[in-house]
Amino acid sequence: MFMSPAQQMRTVPSLSIPGRQQEIGRLQAAWELCRNGRGSVVTLHGPVGAGRTELLDTFSEFADSDGAQVLMAAGSPLEREFPLGIVRQLFQSPHLAPEIASEAARLIENGVAVGPAPHWSSPEGGEGGSRVRPTPQVLHGLSTLLLDFARHTPLLLAVDDRQDADIQSLEFLLYLARRIRNARVLTVLCSRENMTPPEPFFDVDLASQPHHERIRLRLFGPEVIAELMGARLGEETARRHAGAVHDLTGGNPLLVRAVIDDQEAGGGHPDLVVGENYRRGVMNCLHRVDPFALRVARGVAALGRPAESSLLAELLLLANDSPPRALYLLHAAGLFRDGYFRHPSGAGDLLAAMRPAELAALHRRAAGLLQDAGAPAEHIAEQMRAAEGQVRAPWAADGTAPAMPVGGTQAPEPVDEARRPESDHPQDVVIQCVPWLPESGPDAATPSPRQQRTRVRHLFWHGQVDEGVTGLQRYEAEHWADPGAWSRLRDWVRYWYPALLPRTGAGPDAGRDRPGGTRATPPDGMGVLTALLDGLPAPDAVARAESVLRESRLGDTPVRSLTAALTALLYADQSDRAARWCAAVTNRPGRGHDATEDALLAALTAEAALRQGDVRTAEEYARAAFQQIDPDRWGVGVGFPLATMIAARTALDRHEDAARYLAMPVPGAMFRTPMGLHYRYARAGHHLAVGDAEAALADYQECGATMARWDLDHLPGLVPWRIGAARAQLALGRPGAARSLMDRQLKDLGLGRPRILGMALRTRAAAAESAERTPLLERAVQALEISGDQFELSAALAELSAAHGALGDPAQARTADRRARHLSRVSGTAPAQPGDDELSEAERRVAELAACGLTNREIGQKLFITVSTVEQHLTKVYRKLGVRRRIELADLRELRRGLAG
């Protein structure tokens, strides 16, 4: 490569890592091209423990000392759902010019919107789905900032753990990659090899760029290991043990350094020490490599020897192509050799971390499969002894399990219920919410099928998804002869975790008897609910849900079936029917008063009342739901009654109370369930009510993106996110965006959803020109009268009164206003009394300062009140003065008079 005299005189910093000379050379070559105006994208990838982060950090320090501006970020599984998270990290570099960081923050703040999924993204929402995406403005604006900066200073973008990056940031990185070919910008992306890349087509699109280069990090050979050992332990030790260390680690850099640490800790022992550092390193790699690879490693450990991939697939209930890919990753990382662990401690440590009952079941299943495959008798006996040892171990459940047949297809004998040990709790209840599981048996070494189903639900309920999947697959494999039972269990899981299992579609028999059932079995409420989610028309779902409720007798029908049917009525936008059936089930003769059932029915009654506009009743029953069962026992279902309470307090203008409920801790796994949608939607409503429309819009859009990913966007009765998003857009002064959202909602809305129709028409009217407003509001009133939602109807009538007044029809305006005031009293919200439209002195002071352009925090500091109090005053000011946003306050004459005075 030709170098100018100026380049020849430049002092290039040294860059050296043992064993990485080739990779460093390629990175330095890319950096020299970047300095000369030839930008590129380099992907560093390799197996777990290969040292990608070390190489990236060292190269970043090199580039920084060579005059580059280095922007760094790292992906994380915990932040994968955080839009533009990686981009935010890049622009939060402490060395970035303040004006660039400030402009980037402004662009990012409003940088995403719901739109068609990019062509390269994974099709979770199905063909034609939508996702939260960066807007064209933010893509152009942020890339322009970087390209302009790079004209003066070469730029390095270093992103670690790219496989855990959010999709919005990946879209930005692709957008930027297409524009840096003639710019002084080098992007280095580090990613770990795994079986199931979340966005595989990102790599395909990136690879099509001519200025993209892939660098795979190799494992160390014996020579590099000897060099590392010599520097730490001396040349003699290196010569003696380098080959053994390579055999033990496969050259995995993380494990090589761990073994060297063990030798130092061993105090110069003449033999090679395999100690705690190595064992921790192996466990670290196994738990980071890939979830499927970890499961295959457990299966191999349980078998105690290498196994055919077909046997592993059957043992672990995996697809046939999964074990070969998992074994490739385990070998590529140096963890396996010839189909088994390089050191037996890896297998032992992996099995020691499993629960005894789970491990015993795995050994029993292995014994059956080995017998079916004609394996040697000693291998089968070995598995049975291992299973027996787990059952009889002192840490396992008390008692001896009944003998387990060796054959792989016969189900275990049921446990004698009369011999079960008594629980610490009289009813031993495990709470499951909407649709709930009423009871759970105690831990037993060989559980009955019913207990196994209970345990699976319990695991999912407490957010232990991986363990739940394993339990579900084991249950289906062991009880395949009872398809009705496992089909209902899968329906339950599919409702709670919509993205976890494949959708089956809603056929004509959806929600009816399951395979293997008889006509004497009443329809299953959970089948009706999942069929509604799969696309069963709402009128059909309502008819079948009411059939479940009519035909069932509470004594012999699982509560989860009844609550699932009630949930289906709510999601089908039939809250009036749901409310009547809640009362009928609650007051049914002969029903006992179990605390669990009472709490579940109270939560459903509260939500039905809220959707009927009966806010006081909703608040009362939501409180009762928490009185029956402590919040920390609601599991991932806590979002349901919590959302109802937050929405009720918000409707009553008790925003500090709502904020306190929002401050309650909730399980992270809740956001993988419909309960997370309910919670996020209620939180958005609170944000909108206290004047934070930006935060509200973000929550509404995230609801929309989640429903698109789960293929539930056809079901606005779950959460009508478009209506909320349109109202937030109106609060932000964007009527065009609100109209677009409502036109889409009205176009897609099917029959039988009067409440959603009324809400959409009311919102569409607010975004319309004055001449269109009255007919839209009249249609909204008609629909809301049918739905029975008194709160929404009251608001629509108040807006219709204002519309009639604006058109010069005072008689119609008075009629609508009287009805609105009456319904306001009926719904439990504060009635509009004479004089209520006048601002209090405190409200006027806050309004005047807001009209001057002060922020809520500045107003609070000036008046010595909290920000929350400022928000409450402004909410009342907006309602009394008939304005929707802050900027309109400055145009009001009465406030201008106050300001002038």
Side-chain angles (χ1 to χ4, degrees):
M1 180 187 300
F2 173 77
M3 297 180 66
S4 68
Q7 290 173 319
Q8 294 173 7
M9 294 179 63
R10 177 169 60 89
T11 301
V12 180
S14 62
L15 176 57
S16 176
I17 300 176
R20 293 289 176 236
Q21 288 79 8
Q22 181 178 337
E23 294 88 344
I24 288 172
R26 293 173 67 180
L27 285 171
Q28 286 181 309
W31 176 242
E32 285 300 322
L33 288 173
C34 172
R35 290 187 59 88
N36 293 330
R38 296 275 302 280
S40 63
V41 180
V42 176
T43 299
L44 293 176
H45 72 106
V48 63
R52 299 176 314 280
T53 300
E54 177 191 27
L55 179 57
L56 182 66
D57 289 347
T58 304
F59 179 67
S60 298
E61 293 175 3
F62 159 81
D64 180 71
S65 64
D66 197 31
Q69 170 68 67
V70 180
L71 307 183
M72 303 188 71
S76 167
L78 298 177
E79 299 182 20
R80 194 179 292 153
E81 300 301 320
F82 184 37
L84 295 177
I86 292 292
V87 175
R88 292 173 192 269
Q89 291 183 52
L90 291 173
F91 282 96
Q92 287 171 353
S93 169
H95 304 299
L96 200 60
E99 61 272 15
I100 296 178
S102 176
E103 176 62 12
R106 185 191 68 79
L107 287 166
I108 293 171
E109 192 63 30
N110 300 305
V112 295
V114 176
H119 71 278
W120 48 265
S121 69
S122 55
E124 293 179 39
E127 186 177 353
S130 60
R131 303 186 75 149
V132 170
R133 300 185 62 183
T135 64
Q137 292 79 9
V138 77
L139 292 173
H140 175 73
L142 293 175
S143 62
T144 300
L145 285 176
L146 295 179
L147 295 172
D148 287 347
F149 182 87
R151 291 192 179 97
H152 310 287
T153 304
L155 188 60
L156 170 64
L157 274 62
V159 179
D160 199 8
D161 285 327
R162 195 278 300 163
Q163 75 280 348
D164 293 322
D166 62 281
I167 188 173
Q168 294 82 13
S169 292
L170 293 181
E171 188 165 356
F172 169 74
L173 291 172
L174 271 181
Y175 183 92
L176 180 65
R178 300 186 189 102
R179 290 157 177 80
I180 64 173
R181 193 171 183 182
N182 296 310
R184 296 200 297 172
V185 178
L186 173 61
T187 301
V188 181
L189 308 175
C190 282
S191 61
R192 182 176 67 247
E193 290 180 344
N194 52 24
M195 290 174 58
T196 53
E199 302 295 344
F201 295 107
F202 171 85
D203 295 306
V204 174
D205 203 320
L206 193 61
S208 69
Q209 305 302 317
H211 51 293
H212 170 256
E213 180 180 10
R214 287 175 64 86
I215 301 177
R216 188 178 190 277
L217 274 65
R218 304 159 300 157
L219 301 186
F220 290 161
E223 300 81 6
V224 177
I225 295 175
E227 179 184 350
L228 291 170
M229 294 185 71
R232 294 265 302 273
L233 306 173
E235 296 299 328
E236 175 60 28
T237 300
R239 281 194 299 271
R240 189 167 64 249
H241 291 312
V245 172
H246 184 265
D247 289 342
L248 180 65
T249 64
N252 182 299
L254 185 151
L255 298 182
V256 169
R257 291 188 173 91
V259 172
I260 293 174
D261 291 341
D262 280 335
Q263 308 320 301
E264 286 186 331
H269 195 282
D271 296 328
L272 187 67
V273 177
V274 179
E276 186 66 22
N277 292 300
Y278 171 78
R279 295 172 64 180
R280 286 181 181 275
V282 171
M283 289 299 103
N284 183 307
C285 290
L286 285 170
H287 284 84
R288 288 172 53 212
V289 60
D290 186 279
F292 286 106
L294 176 61
R295 286 176 63 185
V296 168
R298 286 196 182 114
V300 172
L303 290 169
R305 55 181 50 83
E308 296 290 336
S309 61
S310 58
L311 176 62
L312 288 169
E314 287 191 70
L315 176 64
L316 302 168
L317 306 178
L318 293 172
N320 289 334
D321 63 341
S322 292
R325 290 185 293 147
L327 289 169
Y328 163 77
L329 289 181
L330 294 167
H331 284 81
L335 301 169
F336 271 36
R337 179 176 54 193
D338 299 329
Y340 198 68
F341 294 85
R342 286 181 174 268
H343 191 275
S345 65
D349 290 343
L350 203 55
L351 296 181
M354 296 179 65
R355 296 174 181 170
E358 182 182 358
L359 183 53
L362 187 63
H363 282 304
R364 286 196 295 268
R365 179 167 173 77
L369 291 171
L370 288 171
Q371 185 183 52
D372 292 344
E378 59 267 24
H379 293 178
I380 301 169
E382 182 182 277
Q383 292 297 319
M384 293 305 296
R385 284 194 299 271
E388 180 104 1
Q390 292 298 323
V391 170
R392 294 183 181 277
W395 56 82
D398 292 338
T400 303
M404 172 67 185
V406 175
T409 58
Q410 186 174 349
E413 297 176 8
V415 175
D416 182 358
E417 298 289 336
R419 296 177 55 194
R420 295 188 308 179
E422 293 185 4
S423 168
D424 293 337
H425 303 286
Q427 297 169 332
D428 197 28
V429 173
V430 174
I431 305 305
Q432 310 269 2
C433 179
V434 192
W436 300 268
L437 176 69
E439 59 182 336
S440 169
D443 214 11
T446 306
S448 67
R450 175 176 173 275
Q451 289 173 318
Q452 285 181 283
R453 294 194 298 271
T454 295
R455 289 178 178 180
V456 170
R457 293 189 179 100
H458 179 81
L459 290 168
F460 281 114
W461 180 250
H462 288 284
Q464 297 171 266
V465 179
D466 291 340
E467 295 87 342
V469 169
T470 300
L472 175 65
Q473 293 172 329
R474 183 168 60 243
Y475 176 83
E476 292 181 1
E478 294 178 0
H479 303 292
W480 61 271
D482 185 7
W486 58 254
S487 181
R488 285 190 290 271
L489 180 59
R490 284 180 70 89
D491 281 346
W492 187 92
V493 175
R494 286 200 311 115
Y495 167 73
W496 276 101
Y497 292 87
L500 197 60
L501 298 177
R503 311 299 290 271
T504 60
D509 294 324
R512 300 192 186 278
D513 298 339
R514 311 313 262 172
T518 66
R519 292 311 304 171
T521 304
D524 176 46
M526 181 52 65
V528 175
L529 179 56
T530 53
L532 176 65
L533 269 57
D534 286 343
L536 182 70
D540 292 345
V542 170
R544 295 180 190 181
E546 292 193 315
S547 176
V548 170
L549 295 163
R550 275 195 304 270
E551 296 178 21
S552 63
R553 297 188 301 278
L554 194 64
D556 56 12
T557 299
V559 173
R560 61 182 170 273
S561 178
L562 299 178
T563 53
L566 293 169
T567 305
L569 293 178
L570 286 174
Y571 289 176
D573 201 30
Q574 297 296 320
S575 53
D576 54 341
R577 294 174 185 245
R580 290 196 296 270
W581 278 110
C582 281
V585 172
T586 301
N587 299 319
R588 184 168 297 183
R591 188 183 79 85
H593 288 285
D594 175 81
T596 302
E597 292 181 11
D598 290 345
L600 309 180
L601 291 170
L604 277 166
T605 302
E607 181 64 15
L610 182 69
R611 296 183 182 213
Q612 286 287 285
D614 189 352
V615 181
R616 295 289 184 186
T617 299
E619 181 187 37
E620 176 186 347
Y621 275 89
R623 188 184 297 111
F626 284 122
Q627 289 171 346
Q628 295 287 344
I629 299 173
D630 293 336
D632 58 355
R633 293 184 62 196
W634 277 91
V636 295
V638 71
F640 189 67
L642 200 54
T644 305
M645 180 63 84
I646 293 165
R649 295 297 173 99
T650 299
L652 293 168
D653 285 342
R654 295 164 66 175
H655 302 303
E656 288 187 350
D657 289 349
R660 279 195 289 270
Y661 278 98
L662 282 167
M664 290 175 59
V666 295
M670 180 190 77
F671 292 99
R672 299 179 66 176
T673 74
M675 304 306 103
L677 284 172
H678 289 292
Y679 179 87
R680 199 185 295 274
Y681 185 81
R683 184 174 68 186
H686 168 73
H687 287 319
L688 190 59
V690 298
D692 193 351
E694 293 283 5
L697 181 60
D699 266 338
Y700 286 131
Q701 289 177 332
E702 185 57 34
C703 285
T706 301
M707 291 180 72
R709 285 198 304 272
W710 294 351
D711 200 16
L712 296 178
D713 206 19
H714 63 280
L715 199 64
L718 204 166
V719 290
W721 71 271
R722 282 192 179 85
I723 295 174
R727 292 176 178 178
Q729 295 283 20
L730 286 170
L732 292 167
R734 303 168 186 164
R739 282 194 296 271
S740 177
L741 283 163
M742 286 303 87
D743 289 344
R744 168 72 185 276
Q745 183 69 86
L746 290 167
K747 177 184 176 183
D748 294 346
L749 202 58
L751 298 175
R753 293 190 173 98
R755 178 173 176 267
I756 304 298
L757 175 61
M759 294 169 66
L761 287 168
R762 178 191 159 210
T763 308
R764 180 62 178 84
E769 301 295 334
S770 56
E772 301 177 85
R773 204 163 291 161
T774 301
L776 286 169
L777 285 169
E778 287 174 342
R779 289 175 58 198
V781 167
Q782 291 172 357
L784 291 168
E785 284 175 334
I786 296 171
S787 77
D789 188 335
Q790 298 166 345
F791 184 83
E792 281 285 334
L793 178 58
S794 171
L797 284 166
E799 291 164 9
L800 180 60
S801 172
H804 281 309
L807 293 177
D809 193 344
Q812 292 280 14
R814 284 193 297 271
T815 300
D817 182 62
R818 281 195 298 271
R819 290 190 63 197
R821 290 174 181 270
H822 169 72
L823 286 170
S824 179
R825 289 191 292 273
V826 171
S827 66
T829 54
Q833 299 293 342
D836 275 2
D837 290 342
E838 297 179 6
L839 298 182
S840 67
E841 186 59 30
E843 291 165 354
R844 178 174 293 280
R845 288 198 300 270
V846 168
E848 289 172 354
L849 293 173
C852 287
L854 274 67
T855 66
N856 290 359
R857 186 173 298 280
E858 291 168 340
I859 295 172
Q861 292 171 347
K862 194 172 186 68
L863 299 179
F864 301 99
I865 57 178
T866 66
V867 173
S868 177
T869 302
V870 173
E871 292 171 347
Q872 292 185 59
H873 284 326
L874 281 176
T875 299
K876 293 175 181 177
V877 167
Y878 293 164
R879 177 177 58 79
K880 291 180 178 182
L881 298 183
V883 300
R884 292 193 181 93
R885 52 191 182 273
R886 204 182 198 93
I887 195 170
E888 294 177 17
L889 293 175
D891 297 328
L892 296 178
R893 251 179 285 175
E894 57 178 311
L895 289 183
R896 287 206 297 271
R897 287 197 299 270
L899 293 171

